Amino acid sequence: MRPLAILGGTFDPVHLGHLCVAWEAAEALDAEIALVPAHVPPHRPPPRATAAQRVALLEAALAGQDVLRLDTRELEREGPSYSVDTLAELRGEIGPDRPLLLLVGADAFAGLPRWNRWREIFGLAHVGVLTRPGEHPVLDPELADEIAPRRARVPAGPAGQVIPITVTALDISATAIRDLLAAGRMPRYLLPAGVVDRPGLLAPYTEVP
Ligand code: ATP
């Protein structure tokens, strides 16, 4: 059964770093990938773009292919969502047998013990750790102990493993893109062509607030 993998994030805006790792994960796992834009919790700095604007950017970025798709469920729910709740909802929809993966960057993975009900995630999904060549984040002992018996090279079964996925290191961040756009630059080759072709989508980042 083809795995389903999700990549969450703010996507403020979506950039080629996101699409590159999502695509490489799709190929490595032979998986369907859903990008899941997050509600930003009230205690975090608000995104520059509204949820609707971030969705429009993602739709433009994903046009013309059907390996990566958009899942707006977290924006449709009231308030911020925890990954564990999103995975539980997806597990309810896809049934108990299909492999489900949560994709996280290696840095974010090192912070997993600070996530809400983090151990429950392994009952719902595998965790795919997007790892750049040479990247070895230090894991705290609690996390290292939890994952030691879970390490695997390919997903077997519906959930419960930790799978490293080697991805190309692209030093692109949404923060750097927002800074370039605010300075009047056009980071044409850091952004998806579908976004660059519709510059109006970038207005939230170029307009003086
Ligand atoms: P910001 O600069 O606003 O913090 P960001 O570029 O890190 O944003 P997010 O929306 O926070 O983007 O990222 C969503 C997910 O994509 C995260 O899991 C993050 O680790 C991953 N990601 C972001 N940029 C890259 C990149 N250049 N290469 C690989 N993964 C990336």
Side-chain angles (χ1 to χ4, degrees), residues 172-204:
I172 305 174
S173 73
T175 303
I177 289 173
R178 290 194 301 274
D179 289 347
L180 287 165
L181 291 166
R185 305 260 300 273
M186 166 47 80
R188 163 176 287 266
Y189 296 113
L190 304 182
L191 288 167
V195 166
V196 176
D197 289 346
R198 293 178 53 199
L201 293 174
L202 295 169

Coordinates of all heavy atoms in Angstrom, one line a residue, residues 172-204:
I172 N 17.8 27.4 1.9 CA 16.7 28.4 1.6 C 15.8 28.4 2.8 O 15.4 27.4 3.3 CB 15.9 27.9 0.4 CG1 16.8 27.7 -0.8 CG2 14.8 28.9 0.0 CD1 16.1 27.1 -2.0
S173 N 15.4 29.6 3.2 CA 14.4 29.8 4.3 C 13.4 30.8 3.9 O 13.7 31.8 3.2 CB 15.1 30.1 5.6 OG 15.5 31.5 5.6
A174 N 12.2 30.6 4.4 CA 11.2 31.6 4.2 C 11.6 33.0 4.8 O 11.2 34.0 4.2 CB 9.8 31.1 4.8
T175 N 12.3 32.9 5.9 CA 12.7 34.2 6.5 C 13.6 35.0 5.6 O 13.4 36.2 5.4 CB 13.5 33.9 7.8 OG1 12.7 33.1 8.7 CG2 14.0 35.2 8.5
A176 N 14.6 34.3 4.9 CA 15.5 35.0 4.0 C 14.7 35.5 2.8 O 14.9 36.6 2.3 CB 16.6 34.0 3.6
I177 N 13.7 34.7 2.3 CA 12.9 35.2 1.2 C 12.1 36.4 1.6 O 12.0 37.4 0.8 CB 12.0 34.0 0.7 CG1 12.9 33.0 0.0 CG2 10.9 34.5 -0.3 CD1 12.2 31.7 -0.4
R178 N 11.5 36.4 2.7 CA 10.7 37.6 3.2 C 11.6 38.8 3.2 O 11.2 39.9 2.8 CB 10.0 37.3 4.6 CG 8.9 36.3 4.5 CD 8.1 36.3 5.8 NE 8.9 36.0 7.0 CZ 9.1 34.8 7.5 NH1 8.7 33.8 6.8 NH2 9.9 34.6 8.6
D179 N 12.8 38.6 3.8 CA 13.7 39.8 3.9 C 14.1 40.3 2.5 O 14.2 41.5 2.3 CB 15.0 39.3 4.6 CG 14.7 39.1 6.1 OD1 13.7 39.5 6.6 OD2 15.6 38.5 6.8
L180 N 14.4 39.4 1.5 CA 14.7 39.8 0.2 C 13.6 40.6 -0.5 O 13.8 41.6 -1.0 CB 15.1 38.6 -0.7 CG 16.5 38.0 -0.4 CD1 16.6 36.6 -1.0 CD2 17.6 38.9 -0.8
L181 N 12.4 40.0 -0.3 CA 11.2 40.7 -1.0 C 10.9 42.1 -0.3 O 10.7 43.0 -1.0 CB 10.0 39.8 -0.8 CG 10.0 38.5 -1.7 CD1 8.9 37.6 -1.2 CD2 9.8 38.9 -3.2
A182 N 11.1 42.1 1.0 CA 10.9 43.4 1.7 C 11.9 44.4 1.3 O 11.7 45.6 1.3 CB 11.0 43.2 3.2
A183 N 13.1 44.0 0.8 CA 14.2 44.9 0.4 C 14.0 45.2 -1.1 O 14.9 45.8 -1.7 CB 15.5 44.3 0.7
G184 N 12.9 44.8 -1.7 CA 12.7 45.1 -3.1 C 13.4 44.1 -4.1 O 13.4 44.4 -5.3
R185 N 13.9 43.0 -3.6 CA 14.6 42.1 -4.5 C 13.5 41.0 -4.9 O 12.5 40.9 -4.3 CB 15.7 41.4 -3.7 CG 16.7 42.3 -3.2 CD 18.0 42.5 -4.0 NE 18.6 41.2 -4.2 CZ 19.6 40.7 -3.4 NH1 19.9 41.4 -2.3 NH2 20.1 39.5 -3.6
M186 N 13.9 40.3 -6.0 CA 13.0 39.2 -6.4 C 13.8 37.9 -6.4 O 14.6 37.6 -7.3 CB 12.4 39.5 -7.8 CG 11.8 38.3 -8.5 SD 10.6 37.4 -7.6 CE 9.2 38.4 -7.7
P187 N 13.6 37.0 -5.4 CA 14.4 35.8 -5.3 C 13.8 34.7 -6.3 O 13.4 33.7 -5.9 CB 14.3 35.4 -3.9 CG 13.0 36.0 -3.4 CD 12.7 37.2 -4.2
R188 N 13.9 35.0 -7.6 CA 13.3 34.2 -8.6 C 13.6 32.8 -8.5 O 12.8 31.9 -8.7 CB 13.7 34.8 -10.0 CG 13.5 33.9 -11.2 CD 13.8 34.5 -12.5 NE 12.8 35.5 -12.8 CZ 11.8 35.2 -13.6 NH1 11.6 34.0 -14.1 NH2 10.9 36.1 -13.9
Y189 N 14.9 32.5 -8.3 CA 15.3 31.1 -8.4 C 15.3 30.4 -7.0 O 15.9 29.3 -6.8 CB 16.6 30.9 -9.1 CG 16.5 31.4 -10.5 CD1 17.1 32.5 -11.0 CD2 15.6 30.7 -11.4 CE1 16.9 32.9 -12.3 CE2 15.4 31.1 -12.7 CZ 16.0 32.2 -13.2 OH 15.8 32.6 -14.5
L190 N 14.7 31.0 -6.0 CA 14.5 30.4 -4.7 C 13.0 30.0 -4.6 O 12.7 29.2 -3.7 CB 14.9 31.3 -3.5 CG 16.3 31.8 -3.5 CD1 16.6 32.7 -2.3 CD2 17.3 30.7 -3.6
L191 N 12.2 30.5 -5.5 CA 10.8 30.3 -5.4 C 10.3 29.4 -6.5 O 10.9 29.4 -7.6 CB 10.1 31.7 -5.5 CG 10.2 32.6 -4.3 CD1 9.8 34.0 -4.6 CD2 9.4 32.0 -3.1
P192 N 9.2 28.7 -6.3 CA 8.6 27.9 -7.4 C 8.2 28.8 -8.6 O 7.7 29.9 -8.4 CB 7.4 27.3 -6.7 CG 7.5 27.5 -5.3 CD 8.4 28.6 -5.0
A193 N 8.4 28.3 -9.8 CA 8.0 29.0 -11.0 C 6.6 29.5 -11.0 O 6.3 30.6 -11.4 CB 8.3 28.2 -12.2
G194 N 5.7 28.6 -10.5 CA 4.3 29.0 -10.5 C 4.0 30.2 -9.6 O 3.0 30.9 -9.8
V195 N 4.8 30.4 -8.6 CA 4.6 31.6 -7.8 C 5.2 32.8 -8.5 O 4.6 33.9 -8.5 CB 5.3 31.4 -6.4 CG1 5.5 32.7 -5.6 CG2 4.5 30.3 -5.6
V196 N 6.4 32.7 -9.0 CA 7.1 33.8 -9.7 C 6.2 34.3 -10.9 O 6.2 35.5 -11.2 CB 8.5 33.4 -10.2 CG1 9.2 34.5 -11.0 CG2 9.4 33.0 -9.0
D197 N 5.5 33.4 -11.5 CA 4.7 33.7 -12.7 C 3.5 34.6 -12.3 O 2.9 35.2 -13.1 CB 4.2 32.5 -13.4 CG 5.3 31.7 -14.1 OD1 6.3 32.3 -14.3 OD2 5.1 30.6 -14.5
R198 N 3.2 34.6 -11.0 CA 2.0 35.4 -10.5 C 2.5 36.3 -9.4 O 2.2 36.0 -8.2 CB 0.9 34.4 -10.1 CG 0.3 33.7 -11.2 CD -0.7 32.7 -10.8 NE -1.8 33.4 -10.0 CZ -2.6 32.7 -9.2 NH1 -2.6 31.4 -9.0 NH2 -3.5 33.4 -8.5
P199 N 3.2 37.4 -9.7 CA 3.9 38.2 -8.7 C 2.9 38.8 -7.7 O 3.2 39.1 -6.6 CB 4.6 39.3 -9.5 CG 4.2 39.1 -10.9 CD 3.5 37.8 -11.1
G200 N 1.6 38.9 -8.1 CA 0.6 39.4 -7.2 C 0.5 38.6 -5.9 O 0.1 39.1 -4.8
L201 N 0.8 37.3 -6.0 CA 0.8 36.4 -4.8 C 1.8 36.8 -3.8 O 1.7 36.5 -2.6 CB 1.0 35.0 -5.3 CG 0.0 34.3 -6.1 CD1 0.5 32.9 -6.6 CD2 -1.3 34.1 -5.4
L202 N 2.8 37.5 -4.2 CA 3.9 37.9 -3.3 C 3.6 39.3 -2.6 O 4.4 39.7 -1.8 CB 5.2 37.9 -4.0 CG 5.7 36.5 -4.5 CD1 6.9 36.6 -5.4 CD2 6.0 35.6 -3.3
A203 N 2.5 39.9 -3.0 CA 2.2 41.2 -2.4 C 2.3 41.3 -0.9 O 2.8 42.3 -0.4 CB 0.8 41.7 -2.9
P204 N 1.9 40.2 -0.2 CA 1.9 40.4 1.3 C 3.4 40.6 1.8 O 3.5 41.1 2.9 CB 1.5 39.0 1.8 CG 0.8 38.4 0.7 CD 1.3 39.0 -0.6

